[in-house]
Amino acid sequence: MENEGTGEEMPEPRSADSVRVAVRVRPFSQREKNSGRRCVVSMHSQSTTIQDPKNGEHLKTFTFDLAYWSHDGYQKDKDGILIPSNPNSKFAGQIHVFHDIGRGILDSAWRGYNATLLAYGQTGSGKSYSMIGFGTNKGIIPRVCEELFQAIKTQKENIELQVMFSMLEIYNEQIRDLLSRTKTPGGLKVREDPQLGFFVEGLKWVPCENYAQIEKLMEQGSKIRMTASTSMNASSSRSHMVITIQFKQIFLDTALTKQSSINMVDLAGSERQKSSGAEGDRLREGSRVNLSLTSLGNVISALADSAMGKKVLHIPYRDSVLTKLLQSALGGNSRTTLIAAISPADICYEETLSTLRYAERTKKVQNKAVINTCALGKASRTENKSLLGFGGTGAAGSCDVGRAASNAIRLQGLGISDRHASFVNLDGQVSVAPHGKCKVVVNGVPVTNRTKLQHLDRIILGSNSAFLYIGFPSERGGEDWSRFDYDFFQLERAAAEGVSVDMLGTGSPGDGQAEPSVLAVFQDYIKLMPLVVEANQMSEELEKGLKMELKVKNLASSDSRGYDLQKEVMVKVTKPRTHEVWIWSKAKFINRKFLMEELYQRFLEREASQVAQEDDPFWDPVEVVHLGSAHVWLQSLAYCMMLEEQVEVLNCDGLQESVLHIRITPCSPEGWAHGEEDMVIDPLELLGKRIDFQIHIVGCLGVKWLKEDANRGIQMGYKIYDLPNTLYTKPVWTKSVNPRIEETVHIVALSASREFLDYLLTNALIVDLWGLQAQRPDDPKRAGVRAQLPAAREATQMCAQQASRDAQLARALKVFYQGMSVARGQLLRLRQCSPPEDDEMLRPFVHQQSLMLKDLEDLLESSLQKLKNDVAAIVKKKKKEYLLHTQQ
């Protein structure tokens, strides 16, 4: 039960047939420790509480059947098994978890019930550790199998016991038999039998007589899963693994049979697919990738609603392969347990909360478990199939690794060649030698020649098949091998390439601690590294001709005040043959990679891997590419001083992409440049006054983008103060690396505010350089198309038209002002004239005054009429321009 607040909930009454739910929280990963992450999960008895990292007072408490604190308070015993560090520690190790969950599964099986165990949680939350384990810390599955055979040894002679074992994987709605090296195109099929329900047609069942046989089968299945033809980290985290044991007890004296099916399921990572960053992508991830988990959630929700008394018309078991196979486990004939694995870190808050809510719904599901018994004559028979043989590497001093069956070590990972590398033992010294140009990395560094290996050296073959070299017994000490996890390999690889947190910069000068945002970017970089390697390998094998590399957006960029911009990981995609370039966001790249995997899988299965251009994840239409930015500081304008500079345009890596030649000139409303006499000592002298200046972009020097390809162009854009639109120059397509632009924009501040003057004193004008590229003629659908910024000229033209209208209005007002000055002079003269004392002179005086008043009247009328006509002309011209613009 979920409770918002700080209180606890009393456990609800639980039916014996309710799905049993356990939650387990793992320790921090090394990456989370290094980044200083905070634990937001706490446990007390059966209650689990999670704290919102953004609002410490916002707590949510859940109550489950079992809650396992495996976050801290542990140590290793002499065998390397994690145990509580002291009598008061609440740490729950593997033995503790097995005692509660595994023994319950075995008890159900011996009594003749079907039993199911599901492990759910986000990737990296510890699902597989709980299910399979690591090293001496065995998980639930191997312990269940081991104790089953230990119990079998103690049984009486009047009972015959049979154990059958199968192991399969579900990825992208396709089933793969992990005990068979023969791969069925399109995967195995799910069939339905009126009595048996859903089953996998053609799945290999292996009879086992002892735990050693099952251990070998699990090792074999895990190798096939890990080194499958896709061999991708992303695929393994997005696939479901199902281990099933059919356990039959035949009581010879009573001719009765009990039969139990034990299903143990390690579900795919539950992390939600975020759309941020991929909204503009023309392709979306294949709908089948997440179908199984989505369907499982729908089934659980429907069953939970039904258990709560709501009217449910349909349980959608048939919506996916997984839910078909789990029909008896959820709402059917099975005793089912769900173990929800959660992360304690604040950065995983949303996913952890989602997992807890999922578990909360699951515990409401009611099953109808019955003991499966039948007479012996009616018992179904299972066809015996021979166990696959396992060959050794022999005692030779050299063994080859590769795809081909002739190799001593057969490996079928992504990027593995038929004969990939050789391991040679010469006088007790082992070395590795790549064949030809095959990819071999030792301790993060690519090697091309024979390289001697030391104990605990890290080896990566192909794209991401990672191995830890264990030396001879004489070389081994008491090292902790568990620290060499997948993250260790990738961090080492990144360090060898010069990628580190320091490279990204620290946000807290003086203490040497990086900001959480910087650490998050670094973690994204490390996470994407192997995915980019895999994507490049697929591109190579599919002959797509693309090269992808990780970049950090805004690595060396700052805003107009000089403060660092938010950094984020992106992928630069190039096509060396045509020099085309694309920039993909992290979300877009991940989306595309899943689609690449589907295409690559079809290629491996020798299915049609040719797709229409619009559906090809390796293809995109040409686009505008941001090359870099130049900072032009505006302080001179605050003193009415002209500025002319050649400023570096720096790319995302902080390297010079070009040099911008720019001139900014204070001027009159008519556009005449101010001289030295117009300069001010204090910018406050300009407060409330009109300020005019012109921004003139002369051109660029040494543009690397243009040097690389003659079919490219450039365009520049900038925003100033509070103008809503970006102003763009015209596109320039030229073979010269020093293109001339020669464009001027007149900017007017009618009444300079203090904020505007502060802006000039403290801000820079950021001028962005954009790369334009033309579609290649070998693309028939888009031949001749050029990619450039939308409405590129519109903003500049409108600004230029506005500047022209402002100048016309200024001239009209200037003429009117001159007329009013003359009229004012005439009025002053009229006021200064006094009538004569001589009566004879009075008549001529009145006549002269009348003439002067008539002249003043004519002057006022003509001035007003001239101003009216000028304004009307400006308005008419503006309307004409507007009509032309709307028609376009």
Side-chain angles (χ1 to χ4, degrees):
M1 177 176 291
E2 177 181 341
N3 172 42
E4 296 201 19
T6 57
E8 294 185 12
E9 289 289 334
M10 294 298 294
E12 295 176 349
R14 304 282 284 147
S15 164
D17 282 343
S18 297
V19 173
R20 198 177 185 210
V21 176
V23 62
R24 188 180 191 187
V25 59
R26 63 162 172 80
F28 280 138
S29 67
Q30 191 60 47
R31 191 188 302 176
E32 289 166 343
K33 291 179 182 177
N34 294 341
S35 60
R37 290 300 172 193
R38 184 166 59 88
C39 179
V40 295
V41 174
S42 60
M43 287 181 174
H44 178 69
S45 184
Q46 295 174 286
S47 297
T48 299
T49 300
I50 183 169
Q51 179 187 51
D52 188 340
K54 297 179 181 178
N55 182 359
E57 297 180 357
H58 191 192
L59 304 175
K60 292 182 182 292
T61 298
F62 300 82
T63 303
F64 300 109
D65 299 284
L66 299 164
Y68 296 115
W69 181 261
S70 301
H71 177 62
D72 56 15
Y74 59 88
Q75 63 183 16
K76 287 185 180 179
D77 67 7
K78 59 183 179 59
D79 297 319
I81 297 175
L82 300 183
I83 60 174
S85 57
N86 59 69
N88 296 323
S89 172
K90 58 181 181 178
F91 174 76
Q94 296 285 67
I95 296 175
H96 185 171
V97 174
F98 169 75
H99 184 272
D100 290 344
I101 297 177
R103 291 241 166 90
I105 292 173
L106 287 171
D107 178 66
S108 295
W110 280 106
R111 294 171 64 185
Y113 289 103
N114 294 331
T116 301
L117 174 62
L118 305 171
Y120 181 89
Q122 113 185 68
T123 299
S125 61
K127 300 187 308 298
S128 297
Y129 179 77
S130 292
M131 296 291 276
I132 304 296
F134 182 82
T136 55
N137 290 279
K138 292 181 180 179
I140 297 173
I141 293 176
R143 289 181 186 274
V144 163
C145 297
E146 188 173 18
E147 290 216 0
L148 175 63
F149 282 102
Q150 288 177 355
I152 286 175
K153 291 179 182 178
T154 65
Q155 297 304 307
K156 300 177 182 179
E157 293 183 356
N158 63 345
I159 183 173
E160 180 183 330
L161 302 172
Q162 297 178 0
V163 175
M164 306 291 291
F165 182 88
S166 72
M167 187 175 182
L168 62 84
E169 177 185 49
I170 303 173
Y171 173 67
N172 201 16
E173 284 301 280
Q174 293 187 3
I175 298 176
R176 178 170 189 181
D177 189 343
L178 294 178
L179 300 184
S180 173
R181 294 192 181 276
T182 301
K183 190 168 184 183
T184 305
L188 300 178
K189 304 302 180 185
V190 176
R191 305 298 184 192
E192 187 174 14
D193 182 89
Q195 281 76 39
L196 299 177
F198 291 107
F199 67 96
V200 180
E201 186 179 50
L203 181 66
K204 185 167 187 174
W205 289 91
V206 179
C208 298
E209 296 180 355
N210 52 58
Y211 171 65
Q213 287 181 318
I214 283 187
E215 192 174 32
K216 286 184 178 179
L217 289 173
M218 286 196 294
E219 182 181 352
Q220 173 192 338
S222 297
K223 284 182 179 178
I224 292 177
R225 187 186 189 202
M226 290 171 62
T227 63
S229 52
T230 51
S231 186
M232 298 168 189
N233 175 257
S235 294
S236 62
S237 69
R238 296 176 66 77
S239 68
H240 316 286
M241 183 184 70
V242 182
I243 288 178
T244 302
I245 295 174
Q246 292 287 356
F247 179 48
K248 185 182 293 186
Q249 306 171 69
I250 304 173
F251 299 91
L252 301 177
D253 53 353
T254 61
L256 289 177
T257 296
K258 285 183 180 180
Q259 182 163 320
S260 174
S261 179
I262 304 173
N263 295 293
M264 293 172 282
V265 186
D266 187 3
L267 294 168
S270 63
E271 53 270 10
R272 296 162 293 171
Q273 294 301 302
K274 298 176 176 62
S275 60
S276 176
E279 291 84 351
D281 193 8
R282 60 183 180 84
L283 296 177
R284 290 288 185 268
E285 180 183 339
S287 60
R288 296 181 299 171
V289 172
N290 262 350
L291 179 60
S292 290
L293 276 182
T294 302
S295 300
L296 182 61
N298 293 338
V299 167
I300 288 173
S301 294
L303 290 170
D305 288 344
S306 177
M308 298 297 290
K310 297 181 181 179
K311 186 176 181 180
V312 177
L313 300 178
H314 171 65
I315 308 297
Y317 290 113
R318 296 178 180 272
D319 286 0
S320 75
V321 167
L322 179 68
T323 49
K324 287 178 182 177
L325 298 182
L326 293 181
Q327 181 171 4
S328 63
L330 295 168
N333 179 21
S334 177
R335 288 186 167 180
T336 300
T337 299
L338 173 81
I339 181 166
I342 60 174
S343 164
D346 50 0
I347 196 174
C348 300
Y349 170 77
E350 294 293 342
E351 296 295 348
T352 297
L353 180 60
S354 175
T355 298
L356 291 171
R357 284 175 169 163
Y358 193 97
E360 175 75 14
R361 292 198 304 274
T362 305
K363 76 176 188 180
K364 296 182 173 68
V365 175
Q366 298 288 318
N367 285 356
K368 306 175 185 66
V370 297
I371 295 175
N372 303 297
T373 60
C374 64
L376 184 54
K378 297 180 180 179
S380 61
R381 298 193 177 192
T382 305
E383 180 184 358
N384 274 331
K385 294 189 178 179
S386 61
L387 182 63
L388 290 176
F390 293 85
T393 60
S398 174
C399 65
D400 293 331
V401 180
R403 283 181 182 268
S406 59
N407 291 288
I409 302 175
R410 191 178 183 190
L411 192 63
Q412 299 203 6
L414 184 64
I416 301 295
S417 301
D418 286 342
R419 189 165 177 263
H420 196 90
S422 294
F423 288 90
V424 179
N425 179 4
L426 185 61
D427 298 328
Q429 177 62 61
V430 177
S431 60
V432 60
H435 292 296
K437 296 183 179 180
C438 295
K439 298 172 183 175
V440 176
V441 175
V442 177
N443 299 336
V445 180
V447 298
T448 55
N449 301 312
R450 178 170 294 182
T451 303
K452 291 183 179 180
L453 297 177
Q454 303 292 329
H455 178 53
L456 298 183
D457 274 351
R458 283 74 60 200
I459 304 166
I460 298 178
L461 303 179
S463 296
N464 280 307
S465 296
F467 302 90
L468 182 66
Y469 170 68
I470 306 300
F472 295 101
S474 59
E475 301 176 70
R476 303 173 193 172
E479 304 93 345
D480 180 12
W481 298 355
S482 64
R483 70 188 181 95
F484 298 107
D485 57 8
Y486 190 77
D487 279 351
F488 187 97
F489 279 72
Q490 300 308 324
L491 286 167
E492 183 175 59
R493 207 171 187 176
E497 296 176 8
V499 179
S500 65
V501 175
D502 293 337
M503 180 198 77
L504 301 177
T506 57
S508 304
D511 61 8
Q513 296 294 318
E515 282 186 347
S517 60
V518 173
L519 289 169
V521 172
F522 180 66
Q523 291 176 8
D524 282 345
Y525 195 101
I526 297 301
K527 178 182 178 182
L528 291 184
M529 275 186 63
L531 307 188
V532 170
V533 172
E534 291 165 358
N536 279 324
Q537 184 64 39
M538 288 187 285
S539 173
E540 181 180 329
E541 294 189 32
L542 292 172
E543 298 181 347
K544 295 296 183 177
L546 293 187
K547 179 184 176 183
M548 285 155 263
E549 58 180 322
L550 282 173
K551 294 287 185 181
V552 178
K553 184 179 180 181
N554 299 328
L555 178 62
S557 302
S558 56
D559 62 14
S560 64
R561 297 176 66 89
Y563 297 116
D564 287 347
L565 291 172
Q566 183 73 33
K567 299 174 177 63
E568 60 183 273
V569 177
M570 60 186 183
V571 177
K572 181 180 180 181
V573 184
T574 57
K575 194 169 188 178
R577 184 176 62 84
T578 61
H579 300 118
E580 291 171 317
V581 179
W582 298 266
I583 301 296
W584 289 354
S585 67
K586 169 191 165 185
K588 180 173 180 177
F589 167 73
I590 292 175
N591 175 55
R592 288 297 180 90
K593 183 169 181 293
F594 288 133
L595 297 172
M596 292 175 188
E597 290 171 18
E598 292 186 26
L599 190 64
Y600 183 70
Q601 189 67 38
R602 288 160 57 184
F603 165 76
L604 292 173
E605 294 174 356
R606 304 188 186 283
E607 297 180 9
S609 58
Q610 298 298 320
V611 294
Q613 187 180 66
E614 291 76 9
D615 299 325
D616 190 346
F618 291 92
W619 180 86
D620 255 351
V622 292
E623 61 185 29
V624 176
V625 179
H626 185 257
L627 302 178
S629 303
H631 282 58
V632 184
W633 294 96
L634 300 172
Q635 189 175 21
S636 299
L637 277 180
Y639 298 90
C640 285
M641 295 172 60
M642 188 189 79
L643 168 71
E644 183 167 4
E645 287 189 353
Q646 292 186 353
V647 188
E648 282 187 319
V649 178
L650 301 179
N651 62 22
C652 68
D653 295 322
L655 303 177
Q656 180 179 302
E657 177 66 31
S658 175
V659 174
L660 167 68
H661 186 184
I662 188 171
R663 185 186 305 124
I664 303 180
T665 308
C667 63
S668 67
E670 292 79 21
W672 300 106
H674 283 327
E676 293 184 1
E677 66 278 4
D678 296 303
M679 289 191 300
V680 297
I681 298 176
D682 185 353
L684 290 178
E685 295 179 36
L686 301 174
L687 187 63
K689 296 182 180 179
R690 170 172 173 151
I691 298 178
D692 291 75
F693 57 94
Q694 293 182 343
I695 299 174
H696 179 69
I697 295 183
V698 180
C700 283
L701 304 173
V703 183
K704 293 180 181 178
W705 173 259
L706 299 177
K707 185 178 181 180
E708 295 169 357
D709 193 317
N711 291 314
R712 288 175 170 175
I714 64 163
Q715 200 166 359
M716 309 204 77
Y718 56 88
K719 288 184 70 173
I720 187 164
Y721 195 47
D722 59 355
L723 287 181
N725 298 320
T726 300
L727 306 178
Y728 293 108
T729 64
K730 64 179 180 296
V732 177
W733 300 85
T734 177
K735 295 181 179 181
S736 171
V737 297
N738 304 315
R740 303 287 293 182
I741 296 177
E742 301 291 358
E743 288 205 20
T744 302
V745 173
H746 191 118
I747 306 293
V748 179
L750 293 176
S751 178
S753 64
R754 185 179 293 272
E755 290 78 11
F756 179 68
L757 294 175
D758 288 342
Y759 166 79
L760 296 180
L761 287 167
T762 59
N763 283 258
L765 177 71
I766 299 180
V767 183
D768 291 309
L769 176 63
W770 297 88
L772 313 178
Q773 46 192 338
Q775 192 77 36
R776 300 289 152 175
D778 58 357
D779 183 352
K781 290 191 177 182
R782 300 184 65 85
V785 175
R786 289 180 170 185
Q788 62 188 54
L789 293 164
R793 291 292 299 148
E794 178 182 320
T796 303
Q797 289 172 350
M798 291 178 68
C799 186
Q801 292 163 0
Q802 181 64 47
S804 173
R805 290 193 294 269
D806 287 347
Q808 291 174 340
L809 182 60
R811 284 194 292 271
L813 290 173
K814 183 177 182 180
V815 171
F816 180 72
Y817 176 75
Q818 292 172 341
M820 291 303 97
S821 296
V822 174
R824 182 171 178 271
Q826 292 185 353
L827 282 173
L828 287 174
R829 287 196 297 272
L830 282 170
R831 289 179 61 184
Q832 292 172 355
C833 294
S834 56
E837 296 180 357
D838 188 351
D839 292 341
E840 293 182 359
M841 298 297 296
L842 184 59
R843 185 180 294 274
F845 171 80
V846 172
H847 178 69
Q848 184 180 7
Q849 291 292 91
S850 299
L851 292 175
M852 291 179 67
L853 287 172
K854 183 66 170 64
D855 291 341
L856 178 60
E857 180 185 0
D858 293 343
L859 179 60
L860 288 172
E861 185 176 350
S862 64
S863 296
L864 287 171
Q865 188 62 41
K866 180 72 167 63
L867 179 62
K868 181 179 178 181
N869 293 339
D870 289 343
V871 171
I874 294 171
V875 171
K876 184 177 180 180
K877 185 176 182 180
K878 181 177 181 180
K879 287 183 178 179
K880 183 178 180 181
E881 290 168 354
Y882 175 77
L883 289 173
L884 287 173
H885 173 68
T886 54
Q887 290 171 0
Q888 291 173 353

